[in-house]
Amino acid sequence: MSLPLYQASIPVMLQMLGGLSGICDKAAAHCAEKKIDPSALLTARLFPNMYPLQKQIQVATDWARNTAAMLSGVEAPKP
């Protein structure tokens, strides 16, 4: 039994991006409720050697976009 690469990767990426979208929505709601500047969360790091949240979101979305493009055999769209 074989599993196509599309079925093994794209649903996982869609779930990951959906979860990431939910986290961003919750962060925006938290900032609005507590009157926090959103840039404070976007530049925050959970640990000193980690990327800030904004960069982590960019890396995750770039990874999904580039992987999908490679699997379909087309050039990835420019961000």
Side-chain angles (χ1 to χ4, degrees):
M1 180 169 109
S2 66
L3 180 67
L5 283 175
Y6 178 90
Q7 288 180 343
S9 58
I10 300 299
V12 174
M13 287 185 257
L14 290 174
Q15 183 178 4
M16 181 267 305
L17 291 172
L20 188 57
S21 176
I23 289 170
C24 291
D25 292 342
K26 287 182 180 185
H30 178 74
C31 287
E33 179 185 328
K34 302 290 184 179
K35 296 183 173 79
I36 299 171
D37 182 18
S39 66
L41 288 181
L42 291 174
T43 58
R45 298 170 189 251
L46 292 176
F47 201 75
N49 67 349
M50 292 178 71
Y51 287 135
L53 178 61
Q54 184 175 5
K55 179 69 174 178
Q56 289 189 35
I57 293 168
Q58 178 186 0
V59 168
T61 56
D62 287 350
W63 171 76
R65 182 189 70 233
N66 292 334
T67 302
M70 284 189 284
L71 287 174
S72 63
V74 298
E75 186 175 333
K78 302 293 181 207

